[in-house]
């Protein structure tokens, strides 16, 4: 009788908690929900260049990763002009399709065999880059649908802002998945810090990223 009573209590508890079990499990694995905010995402206007000249030939140069040209078929918006102080600036505009093409060209995250993220798709909207795909959750040994939100900081650096699982937004977790995402972020930061662009007869060094108007703009000076 006692065993039957305890079993009944367990079954009732499972039925009551079953809708919340994924959330409870994620909390145990280090995922901390972010409180929803009704405040709209603010977007700062990207400075317009004076006397812009379009450029189609772009070569990227990095100290650690060498030199490479944009792959054939790339249709990036590239312009060289002057900023408000008269300094020469090169801007490269990346839209959703541009970033997806680069992801397919240089990583495996947008393919079916990527790890820890696979089948990723990219959307730029509302001042964020949203990467939708599947992530491997090591501790429970499963692939789960995920959204990773990337923001541009005031000093022009891209930072992984948060992730979403099952419609709930979380801070970047303090677990293996979070560590891998932070490693990707650190690698990207190392690349762009030394990134230079050869175009329009000059060499320009990376100055910062801006997110606005459904586009990512990289500025070089």
């Amino acid at each position: 009788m006692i065993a039957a009573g305890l079993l009944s209590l367990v079954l009732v508890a499972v039925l009551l908690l079953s809708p919340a079990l994924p959330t409870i499990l994620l909390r145990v694995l280090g995922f901390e929900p972010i409180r929803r905010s009704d405040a709209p995402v603010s977007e700062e206007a990207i400075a317009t260049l004076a006397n812009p000249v379009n450029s189609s030939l772009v070569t990227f140069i990095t100290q650690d990763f060498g030199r490479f040209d944009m792959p054939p078929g790339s249709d990036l918006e590239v312009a060289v002009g002057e900023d408000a102080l008269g300094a020469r600036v090169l801007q490269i505009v990346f839209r959703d399709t541009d970033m997806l093409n680069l992801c397919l060209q240089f990583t495996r995250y947008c393919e079916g065999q990527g790890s820890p993220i696979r089948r990723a798709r990219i959307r730029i909207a509302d001042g964020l880059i949203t990467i939708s795909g599947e992530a491997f959750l090591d501790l429970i040994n499963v692939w789960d649908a995920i959204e990773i939100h990337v923001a541009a900081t005031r000093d022009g650096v891209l930072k992984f802002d948060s992730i979403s699982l099952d419609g709930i937004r979380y801070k970047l977790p303090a677990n293996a998945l979070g560590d891998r995402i932070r490693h990707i972020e650190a690698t990207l930061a190392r690349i762009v810090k030394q990134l230079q662009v050869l175009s329009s007869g000059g060499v320009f060094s990376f100055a910062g990223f801006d997110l606005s108007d459904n586009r990512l703009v990289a500025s070089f000076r």
Side-chain angles (χ1 to χ4, degrees), residues 159-202:
K159 299 287 290 183
F160 286 96
D161 177 73
S162 57
I163 65 175
S164 294
L165 289 165
D166 300 319
I168 300 175
R169 195 161 170 175
Y170 299 90
K171 295 179 181 179
L172 207 58
N175 57 26
L177 175 62
D179 290 343
R180 290 184 182 182
I181 294 175
R182 277 183 282 269
H183 176 71
I184 295 170
E185 178 183 272
T187 302
L188 175 62
R190 183 161 62 92
I191 293 172
V192 299
K193 186 176 181 179
Q194 58 185 249
L195 188 62
Q196 293 183 311
V197 171
L198 175 62
S199 183
S200 301

Side-chain angles (χ1 to χ4, degrees), residues 99-122 131-136 143 146:
M99 298 193 71
L100 179 60
N101 288 337
L102 290 173
C103 180
L104 289 168
Q105 193 80 17
F106 297 110
T107 80
R108 303 189 68 183
Y109 301 135
C110 294
E111 301 175 351
Q113 303 301 316
S115 179
I117 300 164
R118 67 185 184 185
R119 299 193 178 102
R121 291 297 177 262
I122 301 170
I131 303 168
S132 304
E134 298 175 353
F136 187 70
W143 288 89
I146 192 174

Side-chain angles (χ1 to χ4, degrees), residues 19-201:
L21 279 178
T23 301
I24 293 172
L25 181 58
L26 289 172
R27 290 294 297 270
V28 172
L29 297 181
F31 291 85
E32 183 179 346
I34 294 175
R35 184 172 298 175
R36 292 184 178 273
S37 173
D38 295 327
V41 177
S42 60
E43 294 188 32
E44 296 183 5
I46 296 173
T48 302
L49 298 181
N51 307 312
V53 177
N54 294 333
S55 175
S56 58
L57 299 178
V58 175
T59 298
F60 293 97
I61 306 169
T62 63
Q63 179 180 345
D64 293 340
F65 298 90
R67 170 181 176 143
F68 61 95
D69 298 310
M70 290 302 300
S74 299
D75 191 24
L76 294 178
E77 298 177 34
V78 182
V80 177
E82 299 173 354
D83 65 11
L85 299 177
R88 200 160 181 241
V89 178
L90 179 144
Q91 287 184 343
I92 303 177
V93 177
F94 298 91
R95 301 189 185 276
D96 302 0
T97 52
D98 302 319
M99 298 193 71
L100 179 60
N101 288 337
L102 290 173
C103 180
L104 289 168
Q105 193 80 17
F106 297 110
T107 80
R108 303 189 68 183
Y109 301 135
C110 294
E111 301 175 351
Q113 303 301 316
S115 179
I117 300 164
R118 67 185 184 185
R119 299 193 178 102
R121 291 297 177 262
I122 301 170
R123 179 172 57 91
I124 307 174
D126 301 323
L128 288 173
I129 301 171
T130 300
I131 303 168
S132 304
E134 298 175 353
F136 187 70
L137 305 181
D138 301 69
L139 294 178
I140 54 177
N141 200 37
V142 297
W143 288 89
D144 197 4
I146 192 174
E147 285 189 349
I148 302 174
H149 311 290
V150 183
T153 65
R154 291 188 178 276
D155 54 355
V157 177
L158 292 181
K159 299 287 290 183
F160 286 96
D161 177 73
S162 57
I163 65 175
S164 294
L165 289 165
D166 300 319
I168 300 175
R169 195 161 170 175
Y170 299 90
K171 295 179 181 179
L172 207 58
N175 57 26
L177 175 62
D179 290 343
R180 290 184 182 182
I181 294 175
R182 277 183 282 269
H183 176 71
I184 295 170
E185 178 183 272
T187 302
L188 175 62
R190 183 161 62 92
I191 293 172
V192 299
K193 186 176 181 179
Q194 58 185 249
L195 188 62
Q196 293 183 311
V197 171
L198 175 62
S199 183
S200 301

Side-chain angles (χ1 to χ4, degrees), residues 7-17:
L7 179 60
S8 298
L9 287 174
V10 170
L11 290 175
V12 170
V14 169
L15 289 173
L16 290 174
L17 291 175

